[in-house]
């Protein structure tokens, strides 16, 4: 029975499936069985992503004003400021673009101070503000022009007697009844002033300083420096070959400028050379000359020197010129150039490295049979040498053996390390006495012995052992038990002066 029920159920399912197939226009495609797919393991849980940190905001500069107008007389103004998103360690920085504008920054405001504008033209500048990474902010600044002084009276300025250090100035005002002021300065300085007002202020400040140095009031000094009518003035203490500007403007005793400035320029001339003569003379004595120099003007600075003929020949090659005069002029110029290059001013050289007045019996050691040139030249204030005076002198031949002094020397009273030395002479001509080991004296004839002594001992030792007339002394520092001989001969100025060379009898020091 159970089997019958199951059969009927299967038949019913077949009939139903057939009926459905008949109703569809196309039969459904049979889908092949899909192989079993292995179970996909569960994905692990993804951890939560942490929140991104907040990006810091860039600082922003905020100013209360970005344009400023200043009056011509000068003034101070302030700008307040804030910085949004300030950064640690940063501060507001101002960069001004004009030297007439001073800018300072404090904790909450900027202070801007404009100097007085003396020019008759408006001027402008910019101030750039920065703060760390913030975008820069620029403030534009303008200042009014100064009010021009009415032209007022004018001046004619004329020059005459123009020289290297002075000229004469003539000033003719257009109104002889009004007071005026005038001055002179180097054109290089005059050209640095940007306006007539700046020149006026410079001169008034100079007058204030001069008044203080002179123990006068400014008004007292100024009253002595203003004039009326035509004025002639000698202008002194100028530089050679320099351009100067003389100028004048109306001025009251109260220092009020009443006119524009009239000016004219002039260039001083080249300073002339000083062609001064010198009287040069000398005397000679035993390879020493004594020089006397007398300048024509005892107050005029000058230089002098002494050269051998060999020196002059060498300097001619150095400077590419000929003649003693040309050589010495070049020598002085080179000396001045070297000293000025090392920091000495012309004024210092002129006052320190020159002579004034006469020189008497200047002692100068010389060589025999040598030509010497004594030269002298006056210098102008620019330290340029003028005409050179040259005095030529050739020294005598080396002195011959001219002394007829008869010398005797003797040793006596020996000890282990010394003995007495005596000498006698027939006149006061100087002579040299030396105590030498006998073995040395016996090894040389007179000429060779003299040469040995003069080349072995220093000039100081030879001088210490030179005597005049008779003498008695003691020679110490000798070697015990050693024979010594005393030697004597005429000696002056480093040369032997007698034919005869005296030798004492030998004498031995005692044994210790």
């Amino acid at each position: 029975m159970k089997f019958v029920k199951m059969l009927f159920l299967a038949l019913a399912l077949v009939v139903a499936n057939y009926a459905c197939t008949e109703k569809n226009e196309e039969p459904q495609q049979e889908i092949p069985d899909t192989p079993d797919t292995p179970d996909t393991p569960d994905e692990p849980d993804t951890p939560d992503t942490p929140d991104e940190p907040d990006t810091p905001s860039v600082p922003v500069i905020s100013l209360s004003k970005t344009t400023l107008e200043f009056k011509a007389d000068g003034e101070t103004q302030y700008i307040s400021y804030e910085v949004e998103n300030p950064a640690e360690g940063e501060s507001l920085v101002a960069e001004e673009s004009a030297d007439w504008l001073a800018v300072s920054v404090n904790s909450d405001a900027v202070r801007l101070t404009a100097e007085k504008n003396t020019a008759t033209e408006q001027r402008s500048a910019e101030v750039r503000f920065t703060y760390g990474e913030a975008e820069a902010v620029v403030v534009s600044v303008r200042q009014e022009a100064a009010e021009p002084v009415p032209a007022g009276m004018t001046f004619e300025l004329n020059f005459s007697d123009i020289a290297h250090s002075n000229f004469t100035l003539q000033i003719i005002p257009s109104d002889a009844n009004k007071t005026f002021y005038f001055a002179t300065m180097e054109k290089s300085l005059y050209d640095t002033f940007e306006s007539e007002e700046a020149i006026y202020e410079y001169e008034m400040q100079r007058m204030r300083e001069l008044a203080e140095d002179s123990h006068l009031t400014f008004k007292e000094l100024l009253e002595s420096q203003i004039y009326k009518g035509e004025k002639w003035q000698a202008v002194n203490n100028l530089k050679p070959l320099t351009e100067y500007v003389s100028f004048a403007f109306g001025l009251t005793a109260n220092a009020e400028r009443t006119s524009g400035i009239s000016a004219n320029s002039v260039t001083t001339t080249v300073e002339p050379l000083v062609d001064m003569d010198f009287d040069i003379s000398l005397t000679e004595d035993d390879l020493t000359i004594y020089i006397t120099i007398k300048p024509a003007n005892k107050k005029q600075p000058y230089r002098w020197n002494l050269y051998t003929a060999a020196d002059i020949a060498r300097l001619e090659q150095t400077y590419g010129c000929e003649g003693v005069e040309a050589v010495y002029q070049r020598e002085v110029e080179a000396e001045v150039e070297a000293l000025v290059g090392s920091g000495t001013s012309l004024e210092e050289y002129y006052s320190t490295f020159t002579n004034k007045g006469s020189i008497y019996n200047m002692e100068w050691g010389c060589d025999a049979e040598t030509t010497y040139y004594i030269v002298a030249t006056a210098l102008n204030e620019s330290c340029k040498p003028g005409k050179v005076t040259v005095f030529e002198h050739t020294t005598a031949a080396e002195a011959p053996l001219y002394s007829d002094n008869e010398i005797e020397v003797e040793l006596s009273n020996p000890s282990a390390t010394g003995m007495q030395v005596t000498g006698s002479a027939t006149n006061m001509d100087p002579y040299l006495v030396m105590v030498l080991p006998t073995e040395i004296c016996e090894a040389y004839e007179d000429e060779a012995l003299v040469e040995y002594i003069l080349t072995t001992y220093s000039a100081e030792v030879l001088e210490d052992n030179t005597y005049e007339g008779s003498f008695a002394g003691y020679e110490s520092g000798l070697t015990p038990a050693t024979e010594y001989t005393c030697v004597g001969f005429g000696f002056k100025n480093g040369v032997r002066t007698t034919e005869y060379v005296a030798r004492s009898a030998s004498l031995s020091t005692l044994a210790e």
Side-chain angles (χ1 to χ4, degrees):
M1 192 65 180
K2 185 176 179 181
F3 173 78
V4 173
K5 289 181 179 180
M6 292 293 291
L7 180 60
F8 282 148
L9 179 58
L11 289 172
L13 290 171
V14 169
V15 171
N17 184 53
Y18 178 79
C20 290
T21 302
E22 289 291 329
K23 289 179 70 177
N24 291 322
E25 294 181 359
E26 294 181 0
Q28 292 182 347
Q29 293 183 349
E30 186 175 347
I31 302 174
D33 294 338
T34 303
D36 294 339
T37 301
D39 294 339
T40 301
D42 295 337
E43 293 184 3
D45 294 339
T46 302
D48 294 337
T49 301
D51 295 336
E52 291 290 335
D54 294 336
T55 301
S57 300
V58 176
V60 178
I61 303 170
S62 178
L63 301 178
S64 61
K65 297 178 182 179
T66 55
T67 60
L68 290 176
E69 297 279 348
F70 284 91
K71 296 178 181 179
D73 287 340
E75 60 177 318
T76 297
Q77 296 189 36
Y78 293 87
I79 297 176
S80 59
Y81 73 91
E82 290 183 353
V83 178
E84 300 176 19
N85 307 316
E88 184 177 351
E90 298 289 351
S91 59
L92 189 67
V93 177
E95 302 172 3
E96 61 266 33
S97 62
D99 55 7
W100 54 267
L101 182 66
V103 182
S104 60
V105 180
N106 57 32
S107 60
D108 59 356
V110 179
R111 184 176 187 268
L112 301 94
T113 301
E115 297 177 356
K116 182 178 180 180
N117 186 6
T118 59
T120 55
E121 296 179 353
Q122 178 182 276
R123 60 186 178 184
S124 60
E126 287 186 346
V127 183
R128 185 173 182 268
F129 292 92
T130 59
Y131 182 98
E133 297 181 357
E135 183 178 352
V137 178
V138 176
V139 173
S140 298
V141 178
R142 288 190 303 175
Q143 187 176 24
E144 296 175 348
E147 290 292 333
V149 174
M153 62 177 169
T154 58
F155 301 85
E156 180 183 342
L157 297 101
N158 302 312
F159 303 102
S160 60
D161 303 325
I162 303 168
H164 71 280
S165 63
N166 58 275
F167 57 76
T168 300
L169 173 65
Q170 179 192 29
I171 307 167
I172 306 174
S174 60
D175 189 337
N177 296 315
K178 291 183 179 179
T179 56
F180 66 90
Y181 172 90
F182 73 93
T184 296
M185 65 174 64
E186 291 185 33
K187 189 175 186 298
S188 58
L189 173 60
Y190 187 87
D191 289 343
T192 63
F193 295 102
E194 60 183 8
S195 65
E196 292 184 350
E197 182 70 12
I199 296 173
Y200 155 74
E201 290 186 350
Y202 173 84
E203 286 298 313
M204 293 305 98
Q205 179 60 32
R206 191 171 66 85
M207 287 295 103
R208 290 185 182 91
E209 294 171 358
L210 183 58
E212 184 176 349
D213 293 341
S214 304
H215 305 290
L216 298 172
T217 66
F218 172 63
K219 184 175 179 60
E220 288 173 338
L221 180 63
L222 194 59
E223 287 176 345
S224 69
Q225 299 296 311
I226 57 176
Y227 306 89
K228 285 184 180 180
E230 183 178 349
K231 172 69 176 175
W232 290 81
Q233 179 69 47
V235 182
N236 301 310
N237 301 318
L238 306 178
K239 298 177 183 178
L241 275 180
T242 303
E243 188 173 7
Y244 287 87
V245 174
S246 293
F247 55 92
F249 53 86
L251 189 69
T252 69
N254 294 321
E256 178 185 357
R257 185 161 70 98
T258 60
S259 78
I261 294 179
S262 298
N264 197 5
S265 62
V266 64
T267 299
T268 52
T269 63
V270 176
E271 182 181 1
L273 301 178
V274 180
D275 291 334
M276 183 171 71
D277 292 323
F278 296 84
D279 179 12
I280 302 175
S281 60
L282 64 77
T283 58
E284 179 182 350
D285 181 26
D286 292 337
L287 300 181
T288 299
I289 56 178
Y290 300 88
I291 304 166
T292 296
I293 302 175
K294 298 178 180 179
N297 182 347
K298 294 182 179 181
K299 296 182 179 180
Q300 176 64 45
Y302 67 92
R303 291 285 287 152
W304 77 277
N305 214 320
L306 180 146
Y307 298 95
T308 64
D311 293 332
I312 295 299
R314 173 179 54 81
L315 292 172
E316 285 178 334
Q317 293 293 323
T318 299
Y319 297 124
C321 60
E322 294 183 359
V324 180
E325 295 87 346
V327 163
Y328 191 53
Q329 286 176 335
R330 293 296 301 276
E331 269 282 86
V332 173
E333 291 171 353
E335 181 183 63
V336 171
E337 182 178 351
L339 286 170
V340 171
S342 64
T344 301
S345 68
L346 288 177
E347 291 79 7
E348 289 172 330
Y349 181 89
Y350 190 70
S351 61
T352 306
F353 294 89
T354 54
N355 300 94
K356 287 183 180 180
S358 298
I359 297 173
Y360 293 96
N361 295 322
M362 170 66 71
E363 183 176 340
W364 200 286
C366 57
D367 296 325
E369 297 183 277
T370 302
T371 298
Y372 288 90
Y373 296 99
I374 302 168
V375 292
T377 180
L379 304 183
N380 62 20
E381 293 181 7
S382 297
C383 298
K384 296 291 185 181
K387 181 181 71 174
V388 178
T389 298
V390 180
F391 182 88
E392 181 179 347
H393 175 75
T394 300
T395 54
E398 187 170 332
L401 304 180
Y402 61 85
S403 177
D404 58 357
N405 198 1
E406 297 180 9
I407 304 163
E408 293 184 5
V409 290
E410 183 180 359
L411 298 176
S412 61
N413 300 323
S415 67
T417 58
M419 58 184 66
Q420 188 173 357
V421 182
T422 57
S424 62
T426 56
N427 61 43
M428 297 303 292
D429 290 344
Y431 62 98
L432 177 67
V433 176
M434 299 293 291
V435 176
L436 304 174
T438 298
E439 63 178 356
I440 292 177
C441 294
E442 291 177 347
Y444 294 105
E445 298 295 333
D446 286 351
E447 293 292 334
L449 182 59
V450 170
E451 181 68 17
Y452 169 82
I453 293 172
L454 297 184
T455 57
T456 301
Y457 296 96
S458 67
E460 289 78 13
V461 172
L462 298 177
E463 183 179 353
D464 289 342
N465 287 276
T466 299
Y467 303 92
E468 294 179 359
S470 298
F471 80 97
Y474 191 81
E475 185 75 12
S476 60
L478 304 181
T479 303
T482 302
E483 282 196 359
Y484 286 91
T485 300
C486 186
V487 179
F489 54 86
F491 181 76
K492 186 175 181 179
N493 292 330
V495 297
R496 172 186 168 198
T497 61
T498 58
E499 293 283 354
Y500 174 70
V501 176
R503 300 184 187 221
S504 71
S506 298
L507 183 66
S508 177
T509 52
L510 304 180
E512 289 185 319

